[in-house]
Amino acid sequence: MSLLQVRDLSKAFGGVRAVDGIHFDLHEGELLAMIGPNGAGKSTTFNMVGGQLRASGGSIQLQGRELVGAKPRQICHLGVGRTFQIAATFASLTVLENTQMALLSHHKRLYHWWRPVRDQYREQALALLEQVGMAAHAERPCSELAYGDVKRVELAMALANDPRLLLMDEPTAGMGPQERNELMALTKRLVVERRMAVLFTEHSMDVVFAHADRMLVLARGRLIAEGDAHSIRNHPQVQQVYFGSGKTFERPPQEPQP
Amino acid sequence: MEFSALLAQLLNGLAEASSLFLVAAGLSLIFGVTRIVNFAHGSFYMLGLYVAYSTVEYLVGRLGPAGFWVGLVVAPVAVGAFGALVEIVLLRRIYKAPELFQLLGTFALVLVINDATLYLWGPEELLGRRAPGLAGSISLLGRQFPTYNLFLMVIGPLVLGLVWLLLARTRWGVLVRAATEDRQMLGALGVNQAWLFTAVFALGALLAGLGGAVQLPREPANLALDLRSIGDAFVVVVVGGMGSLPGAYLAALLIAEIKALCVGIGSVHVLGLDFSLSKLTLVVEFLVMAVVLVVRPWGLLGKPQAGSRNSAPAEAPLRPAGNGLRWVALVVFVALAALPLLQTWLPYASVLAQDVLVSVLFAVSLHFIMGPGGLHSFGHAAYFGLGAYGAGILLKVLTLPMPLAFTFAPLVAGLGALLFGWFCVRLSGVYLAMLTLAFSQIVWSVVFQWEAVTGGSNGLTGVWPAAWLGDTAYYYLTLVLVAASVLLVRRIVFSPFGYALRAARDSALRADAIGIDVMRVRWAAFVVAGLFAGLAGALFVFSKGGVSPDVMAVGKSVDGLVMVLLGGIQQLVGPLLGASVFSVLQDSIMRATDYWRAVFGGVILLLVLVFPHGIAGFFQGLGNAWARLAARKPALLPREKRA
Amino acid sequence: MAFRACFKVAPLLLALLGAPSAWAEDVIKIGEVNSYKSQPVFTDGYKKGMQLAIDQINAQGGVAGKKLELLTRDDNANPGDAIRQVEDLINREHVDVLAGAFYANIGTALADYAKQKKRFVLVTEALSDNIVWSAGNRYTYRLDASTYMLTAALVDEAVRLHKKRWALVYPNYEFGTAAASAFKTLLKARQPDVEFVTEQAPPFGKVDAGSLVQALVDAKPDALFNALFGADLAKFVREGTTRELFGEQLPVLSIITGQPEYLEPLKDEIPPNWTVTGYPWYSIDTPAHKAFVAAYQAKYGKENLRFGSIIGYAAVQSIAAGIEAAGGKTDSESLANAFAGLNLTTPDGPLQFRASDHQATWGLYVGKLAVQDGAGVMVDTQYKPGLGLLPSDDEVRKLRPAE
C-alpha cells in the first residue's frame, strides 16, 4: 500500500479552481517531484497536504489516516515534515536552538518551564545539523545565515520528528548548481536511510530530472502527466504547456531568486 | 420611546458620527501608511480646538462673522503644519526602531503638548462662540434641532468623499495606497518615502485639527480633550478596520447611533430589574469593539494585516546571564535590601523603592507577552487591577485572612487572563492590542460601577497587610517576591515554553509546521503574564491600603507600555530598567517643577532619540561593539582561515 | 575635574533617592497633597489662598510661637501616588500636619491611611460623604461641604417649587450618584407625590449633550436637578439652550455651578431660572469677606477669586486654629482631639468641626444665576450655614463605623 494517497483533491478560491481533482500516490523510499508552470497549483497542493490550506474537496490519506481537515501541527505529529517556498525559521534563535525546538515539540516538551532549552536534545540536534551540513553554524543566529543555509536548517527541523513524509517546497531555490545537487543527493540518501518519502516542487528542471524518481506535472490546477523522466520529457501535452510558457527542458530557465 | 423621538436620536447620532469620524480618519490614514500608533493624535485634536478658539476670537474682531469660518479653516492647516514638523523632527529618526517604539515618542509628545497648551492658553476652559448663521435651531420632528448639527452631519461624509477622491484620483493618492498595502513595492517605484510619510502625517494631523476645530461651538477647549478623544479615535479606527476610511465612518456611525439610543432609551426594565442604559454609555464603545473584533478580527471593513513592517534588526538570540550581569543583579539586590537600614539617611528611598519594585514586576509581566510573545497588550492594567481588587474583595467582602487573600489574588488575575486571553490570542498586531484594551475597559467599567462589591469610583480601602507584615517586613516581602518573580520569568523564557513562545512570534507558520499549538502557547503565556501582573497588583494594594479604579484605567496600561519600550523590548533586563527609570524620573520631576509633564515628556523624547532601541538595547549595542573591537585585536596576528 | 563632578552629582543622586531634610525647631510644616496638574483651575486659587493665610498668620507671629511652612506635592490624580507623596512628606520632610485631596477616591484613601497609621489628616476639598461617614475615623476631618450638604442646600428650593415631574442629570461616578440619591431621598421625604421621570448619568467628561438634551426634552419634566460641572456643564448648557430645553418654564437646581471655576467659562450663556450653590465672592457683603478679597487681590493682583481660594485659605486657618487649640502640639492624637468640636471664624463666618462626624459646618451660598456685564454671576444669594444642612449628631453616629 502506498504511503500517501491523494484522491480527487480540489481547492477553489472564490470561483477560481486552483487545484482541480488531482490523484496521485507516493510510496516509501520514493522521491516524487511536482512540476508545472507558475500558477499550476503546486504550492496550493503542498499547502493542502501540509494542512496550511483546507481542501475544498477530495481526500489525502497518510497511511490510511485522513489529513483533510487536520491542522498543520496535527499533521506534523502524524509524521509529516515540511519546508516552505520562502524558508521559515525562527530568526531570533540560533541554528541549534531552531533544531532543538523541533525536537522538543516532537517529544511533547513544549510546556516544560523549568529546565533551560540549552541542555535539552542538544546531541540529537547537532546530529541532525550534521546531516544537513550545518553543524559548523550551530551557534549562529538564523537571521544571519545565507538563504541556502536557512533552507538546510529548515530541512533539519523538518527531519526532527522522524517524518514518514517530507514535503519540500522548492528546496534548492537560491542555491548554486553544485549546492543543489549536493542537497538533493543528501535528500535521496535520507529517504533511503530513514525509509521515508519525499514530495517536492522544483523550478529547476535539472534538479528534477537528475534526482526525482517520478514526477507529476500540473497545469492550471490539473494533473496532466505522471511518470519517470523519460516519459515526461516526451509527453506531448507537457511539452506544449512548457513551450507555451517559454520554457524548454533543454535549457532550464533561471527562476527568479527570492 | 416614541417613534419620532427615536428618529430624532438617530439624527443626533449622525452629527456625533461626523465628529467621531473626523478624529478617527487621520489616525487611520497615519497608521495605514506609516504603521505608527500615534498617541498624540488626540493632542492634535485638542490643539485644533484651542487654535480655532484663538484664531476665531482674533478674526471675528477684524473680519466680522466671516472670521469664524476663516478661523475654522486656518486652525486645521496650522495643526497640519505642526504635524509635519513633528514627523520631520522626531518620528523620522525612529522609524527603524523596534515595532511600537514610535508609540513612546508620541506618548512623550502628549505630555509636552498638554503642558504647552496649559502654558499658552491657561487652565480655564474656553468656550468658543456659536457659528454665525448656524447658531440657532430648526424644528424637526416636533423638536428643536441645532442647525450646526446639520452642518456637522454633512461635513463628515464630505471629508470622507474628498479624502477618497484624493486617494483614488491623484498620483499622490495612488502612492499612499501603495504604501498602505506594500511598502517594499513603494521603494521599488523609486518614491521618496520620507516625504510621503511627512505628507500623510501632516494630512492626518490636519484632519484631527479639523475634527477639533468644528467642535468649537459645541464644547469648550480644555486640557482633558487629548486623552478623551484618543480613546474614541482608536476605537473607531479599529472597529472600522485600520486603514479603511469608509470603515471608520461606518464604525463612527455604529458607535454614535448606539450611544444615542442608549441615552434616548434611558432606563429599561428587564426581568424585574431596572437597568440604566444611560450608564452603559461609560463603556458602550468598548463593548462594540470587543464584539466586532471577536466576530471580525480585522474590523468591519479592514483587511488582514500584512506581516510586521518592523525594519529593526531581528532580536539577538538569548544568552544566559554572564558573570557581569549576575554581579550587578546581586549588588542591586543587596543595595535594595539595605535600604530600610539606611532609613535615617535615606528615609524616602524605601518608600520609592516599594513602588518601583511593583512597577518592575508589572513591566516584567507585560514584557513577557510583548517581548518574547510578540503580543502587544494595551490593556495589561486589567490584570494588575484584578490582582489588586481580587485581594481587596477577598479580604474585605469575603473576609479571608490577609495571607490567603494575598495568595489567591494573582489567581483572580490569572482567571481573568484565562477568559480574555482565549479571545485575544486569536488576533494579531494592533487588533489584538485593542481587544486587550476593550476587555480592560469593560472590567474597569464593571469595577467602576459595582459599588456594593468594589466600592465604585472611590474604590476599596482598609486593605492593609497583617500586623506581622508591618512596614519593613512588607518591603522585604515585596523585594523577595519581585526578585523571585523576575528570576522565574527569566527561567521561563529560557525554558522550552519560553522558546516556544518566541518561536511562535518569529514564525507562526514554522511553529505550526513543527507541531507547536501556537494559540495554546500564546494563551498560556497570556495567563502567566496575567498571574504576575496580578501579583504586582496584590503587592500594590497592601502597600497602599486600598485601590481605586484608576489602577486599571488606560493610563496605567500605557505607563506599562512606556516602561517596557523605554527599557528596550528586545532585552530581558529592558522592563527592569524601563520601569525603574520611568518611576524614579517621574517621581523626581513631579516634585521639581509645576510643569512636570512637559519636562518628563521632554526627557522621554530625549531618551527616545538617544536610545532608539530602548535603554537596555543601547547597552547591548555598546557591548556588541566592544566585543567586536576586542575581537579585532587577534586579527592583527597572522590570519586564521575562516569558514 | 572628575572629582569635582562627583561633588556635583552626589547631592543630586541623594536627592533622587530621598535624603531627609533638616529638622527645624521653630517651624510647623504643613504637608499638602493635591491634584495640582490635573485640576489646575481649582488648585491655582487653592494654593494662593493657602499661601495668603500662611503669610498673614506668620506676619502675626505664627502659631504658638512657630512659623508655618507649606509643602505641596502633586498626587498625579491617583491614590497610589498620593500615598507615596504622603509618606515622603512624613518620612523625609517631617511634616507636622497633613492635608489635601481634591478627588474623592484620593480623599477616601487618605482617610483610610489616617486611620491605619493613626495620623491626623485634614481632607480639604474631596466631597464624598464616605470620608466622614462610612469611612470616617478618629484621625480624619473634612473642611468643604459634602455632597450631601450641597444637595441639601437646594432641597428647600425644590420643595418651594412644588413640581411633580423631576429629571436628574449627573456624572456617572460617586459624586453624581450620591448627589442624585440624596436629592431623591430628601425631596421624597418632604414632597411624597414627587415623581422622577428620567435619570441620565453620562460618563464624566464625555457627555453626549445632543442626545442627552433630547432625552430630557422627551421626558417632559417640570423641573431638573443637575450635578454636571466643568466641560460637561458647558456642553450641556449650550445644547440645552439651542434645543430650547432651558427657559422660564423649566426650573433647574444645580449644585456647585455657581463656583467661579465652573461659572466663568459659560460667560454670558447663562440659562434663565437656575438656582445653584456656589461662591459669589464678588457680592459677599460681610466685612470679614471683603477684607479677605482685598488682601487676596493686594497680594495676587486684580484677578478673580476661585472657590479654591477660600477653601485653601480656610484650610490653613483651620490647621492653625487646631494647633492653637492643641496648645501648640502637633502630634496626631492632640490634633485629633483638638479638632473635635473646634470652632473658628473664616471669611465666610463661624465654622465648627463637628465632634460627631468630623465634618466642618461649611456654609453654602445659594442663589440664582444671572448675566452681569457679559459674565455669569450669582444673584439673590442666601448664605446657608452648614449645620442646618447636616443630619443630626445621632443620625450620623449610625452612619459611622464604631471606633
Side-chain angles (χ1 to χ4, degrees), chain C residues 239-255:
Chain C
E239 195 78 25
T241 308
T242 314
R243 290 180 190 251
E244 297 175 13
L245 167 68
F246 301 135
E248 291 299 338
Q249 84 291 349
L250 185 79
V252 176
L253 301 186
S254 186
I255 54 175

Side-chain angles (χ1 to χ4, degrees), chain A residues 88 92 97 105 114 117 154, chain B residues 491 494 499 505-506 510 514:
Chain A
S92 71
E97 289 167 345
S105 171
W114 187 251
V117 167
E154 254 205 319
Chain B
R491 184 99 200 177
F494 279 92
Y499 268 72
R505 173 201 65 191
D506 282 359
R510 167 51 66 197
I514 61 168

Side-chain angles (χ1 to χ4, degrees), chain A residues 52 72-73 76-77 82-84 88-94 97 101-102 105 109-118 120 141 143 154 157, chain B residues 314-320 488 491-492 494-497 499-500 502-507 509-517 520-521 524:
Chain A
Q52 281 79 19
R73 60 167 192 280
C76 165
H77 289 305
R82 77 162 291 177
T83 69
F84 292 95
T89 56
F90 308 128
S92 71
L93 272 53
T94 64
E97 289 167 345
M101 268 331 285
S105 171
R109 285 173 177 259
L110 289 176
Y111 293 95
H112 289 215
W113 54 275
W114 187 251
R115 240 179 92 202
V117 167
R118 202 171 50 234
Q120 303 193 45
S143 57
E154 254 205 319
M157 293 171 82
Chain B
E315 193 177 303
L318 285 179
R319 300 264 175 253
L488 184 58
R491 184 99 200 177
I492 293 175
F494 279 92
S495 75
F497 176 53
Y499 268 72
R502 290 199 302 143
R505 173 201 65 191
D506 282 359
S507 171
L509 183 70
R510 167 51 66 197
D512 207 10
I514 61 168
I516 299 177
D517 188 340
R520 224 169 104 196
V521 167

Side-chain angles (χ1 to χ4, degrees), chain B residues 36-228:
Chain B
I36 286 183
V37 176
N38 179 22
F39 251 65
H41 204 71
S43 308
F44 293 150
Y45 171 87
M46 180 177 79
L47 276 182
L49 187 46
Y50 270 102
V51 175
Y53 177 86
S54 294
T55 45
V56 165
E57 290 303 307
Y58 176 83
L59 290 172
V60 165
R62 287 181 173 55
L63 307 174
F68 178 91
W69 299 104
V70 177
L72 242 50
V73 174
V74 170
V77 172
V79 175
F82 177 68
L85 189 74
V86 164
E87 202 275 344
I88 293 169
V89 173
L90 173 67
L91 296 174
R92 240 181 225 193
R93 294 167 204 278
I94 50 176
Y95 281 126
K96 286 212 164 73
E99 215 179 351
L100 271 186
F101 193 75
Q102 298 87 6
L103 184 153
L104 195 55
T106 57
F107 167 81
L109 271 182
V110 171
L111 297 176
V112 174
I113 292 176
N114 192 281
D115 254 7
T117 310
L118 172 64
Y119 179 78
L120 290 171
W121 277 279
E124 287 86 5
E125 288 153 11
L126 302 171
L127 185 58
R129 56 184 72 220
R130 288 165 184 266
L134 298 177
S137 59
I138 55 163
S139 190
L140 258 179
L141 303 160
R143 291 166 177 77
Q144 293 305 311
F145 192 76
T147 39
Y148 191 77
N149 280 15
L150 296 174
F151 166 73
L152 277 182
M153 279 159 59
V154 174
I155 196 160
L158 186 73
V159 167
L160 175 64
L162 285 176
V163 176
W164 182 81
L165 275 179
L166 184 70
L167 293 182
R169 293 275 182 272
T170 65
R171 180 180 145 71
W172 185 79
V174 173
L175 294 179
V176 169
R177 281 186 299 145
T180 312
E181 264 142 48
D182 186 353
R183 218 198 261 177
Q184 269 78 31
M185 190 173 93
L186 199 66
L189 289 173
V191 176
N192 184 339
Q193 197 170 294
W195 286 106
L196 185 70
F197 278 23
T198 309
V200 167
F201 202 83
L203 178 63
L206 183 146
L207 287 175
L210 179 66
V214 297
Q215 294 303 316
L216 184 64
R218 285 164 40 98
E219 96 178 293
N222 65 83
L223 294 164
L225 281 176
D226 48 358
L227 295 182
R228 258 164 227 168

Side-chain angles (χ1 to χ4, degrees), chain A residues 33-55:
Chain A
M34 188 185 285
I35 60 173
N38 284 334
K42 296 179 307 247
S43 283
T44 306
T45 306
F46 246 73
N47 286 335
M48 283 192 285
V49 180
Q52 281 79 19
L53 280 177
R54 197 195 160 99

Side-chain angles (χ1 to χ4, degrees), chain B residues 2 5 8-9 12-13 16 53 57 115 118 123-130 135-137 143-147 149 216-220 222-223 228 232 256 259-260 262-264 266-267 276 278-279 281-282 285-286 339 343-349 351-352 355 448-449 451 457-459 461-465 471 540 543-546 548-550 583-584 586-588 590-591 594-597, chain C residues 14-21 37-38 40-41 44 47 73-81 83-85 87-89 91-94 103-106 108-109 112-113 116-117 128 130 135 170 172-175 177-178 198-206 208-215 217-218 220 229-232 234-235 237-239 241-244 261-262 264-267 269 306:
Chain B
E2 289 171 49
Q9 286 296 9
N12 290 329
E16 282 306 316
Y53 177 86
E57 290 303 307
D115 254 7
L118 172 64
E124 287 86 5
E125 288 153 11
L126 302 171
L127 185 58
R129 56 184 72 220
R130 288 165 184 266
S137 59
R143 291 166 177 77
Q144 293 305 311
F145 192 76
T147 39
N149 280 15
L216 184 64
R218 285 164 40 98
E219 96 178 293
N222 65 83
L223 294 164
R228 258 164 227 168
D232 287 347
K259 268 193 175 173
C262 282
V263 176
S267 299
S276 169
S278 137
K279 286 189 176 172
T281 50
L282 188 66
E285 63 264 46
F286 291 98
L339 283 184
Q343 198 97 38
T344 325
W345 302 282
L346 297 171
Y348 180 55
V351 175
L352 183 59
D355 282 11
F448 194 84
Q449 302 196 69
E451 284 220 28
S457 59
N458 285 348
T461 53
V463 191
W464 295 99
D471 297 338
F540 170 85
S543 78
K544 300 295 179 186
S548 71
D550 62 275
S583 311
V584 174
Q586 189 184 42
D587 182 77
S588 41
M590 225 158 81
R591 192 184 327 255
D594 282 347
Y595 283 91
W596 65 263
R597 271 191 197 145
Chain C
L14 278 179
L16 221 67
L17 285 168
S21 70
K37 197 84 235 181
S38 166
V41 188
D44 176 58
K47 211 173 191 172
R73 291 278 189 272
D74 194 333
D75 59 24
N76 200 14
N78 74 71
D81 283 11
I83 296 294
R84 190 176 73 237
Q85 297 301 346
E87 297 196 322
D88 174 33
L89 287 169
N91 293 334
R92 175 155 56 162
E93 306 292 354
H94 309 298
Y103 290 110
N105 55 348
I106 295 176
T108 314
D112 189 55
Y113 182 87
Q116 176 73 13
K117 307 278 177 177
S128 175
N130 302 342
Y170 51 89
N172 186 5
Y173 71 102
E174 192 252 9
F175 165 71
T177 48
T198 186
E199 277 188 44
Q200 289 286 342
F204 175 56
K206 292 180 87 169
D208 195 347
S211 306
L212 173 66
V213 169
Q214 183 76 68
V217 169
D218 288 338
K220 301 187 177 63
F229 61 98
D232 285 342
K235 284 171 86 171
V237 164
R238 187 161 269 190
E239 195 78 25
T241 308
T242 314
R243 290 180 190 251
E244 297 175 13
E261 284 87 335
Y262 310 121
E264 280 175 15
L266 294 176
K267 292 180 209 159
E269 303 209 15
R306 307 279 188 211

Side-chain angles (χ1 to χ4, degrees), chain B residues 19-43:
Chain B
S19 308
L20 276 176
F21 169 72
L22 286 181
V23 211
L27 188 67
S28 190
L29 260 183
I30 291 175
F31 179 83
V33 175
T34 65
R35 283 292 186 272
I36 286 183
V37 176
N38 179 22
F39 251 65
H41 204 71
S43 308

